[in-house]
Amino acid sequence: MIRKNDFIKKCLKILLPLAFWLGVWQIMAVTAGFPLLLPTPVSVGSTLLELAVTGAFWRSVLFSLGRVLCGMLLGSILGCVLALLTWRFSIADLLFSPAIRVIRATPVVSFILLVYLWVTRTRIPSVISALMVLPVIWSSLRAGLDSVDPQLLEMANAYHFGRVKTLRLVWLPSLRPHMSSGISTGLGLAWKSGIAAEVICPPRYAIGTELSKAKTALQSPKLYAWTIVILMLSLTLESVLRRMLRKRKGRVTP
């Protein structure tokens, strides 16, 4: 009985806000009376269903996901490498830290236009996603490296831990919270910046390309439908990442 009540409460937490905002959307659409600016939820929903049964829809979704995740992976690797270098070597910190801070401060639109001069359109979303993720991972890992307790390292040295054991029992537990936070933040930035790059520099198969086409053709229901797809994919990716991090955190290191 308790589990049933918990299930009902979870359903209500999801359905009540959804029903409320759909109602607000419907009222605003009917009141405005101008479908070009604000189509009704029914028209957007039917458009989304029509899109979902086409092969082009799934190709665009998969290609966009692939580009963003590749950029996320590349940016994470570069961020980790640069964090280790700038933490370990003062000359690397002197050379690379200002450049990373410039990347973090530069608007994503400027990067998209600059990268467009150097990279083919199909690769631009991955490059932009990587550039947006790199400073986040770098700053998170640097903060984690700086926060490692020296006393734990001294204890590991006193007990003659090897490098692998010290890494597993001291470094990784200290760095994990910082990296988890950086990856969570980086994923959202990678997704948003990658889609923005697709809109400005549309490749062949991409969600951003479909958004741009819908805007040009003044197809408001399709524009809203693709926006809902972006939101659903973003929430799904965040949910999957949280589950993975939670499972990783729940494991007890032997």
Side-chain angles (χ1 to χ4, degrees), residues 9-245:
K9 288 180 180 179
K10 287 181 180 179
C11 290
L12 288 175
K13 285 182 179 180
I14 297 173
L15 295 177
L16 279 179
L18 182 62
F20 172 78
W21 289 110
L22 284 175
V24 172
W25 181 2
Q26 177 68 26
I27 293 171
M28 291 178 64
V30 172
T31 304
F34 195 30
L36 185 62
L37 290 180
L38 187 60
T40 63
V42 175
S43 63
V44 173
S46 61
T47 302
L48 182 57
L49 290 176
E50 291 173 4
L51 290 172
V53 297
T54 62
F57 172 85
W58 294 106
R59 280 195 296 270
S60 298
V61 169
L62 291 176
F63 273 76
S64 291
L65 280 173
R67 293 186 189 100
V68 170
L69 292 178
C70 284
M72 175 77 185
L73 179 61
L74 177 61
S76 299
I77 293 173
L78 291 175
C80 289
V81 171
L82 289 174
L84 291 171
L85 288 175
T86 55
W87 176 77
R88 182 68 179 82
F89 304 104
S90 57
I91 184 64
D93 187 35
L94 179 65
L95 294 175
F96 291 113
S97 293
I100 296 172
R101 293 188 176 95
V102 168
I103 293 174
R104 183 166 52 190
T106 304
V108 64
V109 176
S110 299
F111 268 126
I112 293 171
L113 296 177
L114 291 172
V115 170
Y116 184 71
L117 301 175
W118 296 88
V119 181
T120 58
R121 285 191 300 176
T122 55
R123 297 180 181 177
I124 290 174
S126 297
V127 174
I128 295 301
S129 297
L131 286 172
M132 295 300 103
V133 170
L134 190 155
V136 176
I137 300 297
W138 172 79
S139 60
S140 297
L141 187 54
R142 273 296 301 266
L145 291 168
D146 291 334
S147 67
V148 175
D149 192 346
Q151 293 182 352
L152 291 177
L153 296 175
E154 291 178 7
M155 182 188 70
N157 186 46
Y159 282 95
H160 303 289
F161 285 3
R163 291 184 178 180
V164 175
K165 194 172 183 179
T166 303
L167 176 66
R168 181 165 55 87
L169 297 180
V170 178
W171 287 101
L172 290 181
S174 300
L175 297 177
R176 188 172 294 124
H178 297 273
M179 284 302 298
S180 297
S181 174
I183 292 172
S184 299
T185 304
L187 180 61
L189 285 174
W191 182 245
K192 294 174 185 177
S193 59
I195 297 298
E198 290 179 346
V199 172
I200 297 175
C201 306
R204 184 176 181 184
Y205 296 116
I207 293 176
T209 302
E210 299 301 326
L211 275 174
S212 181
K213 289 179 180 178
K215 180 207 69 171
T216 304
L218 297 177
Q219 296 174 326
S220 296
K222 187 176 287 188
L223 183 63
Y224 277 77
W226 279 110
T227 302
I228 290 174
V229 171
I230 294 172
L231 292 174
M232 291 173 63
L233 288 173
S234 178
L235 293 173
T236 301
L237 289 174
E238 290 178 3
S239 177
V240 171
L241 180 62
R242 279 198 303 268
R243 288 176 179 271
M244 291 173 60
L245 295 176

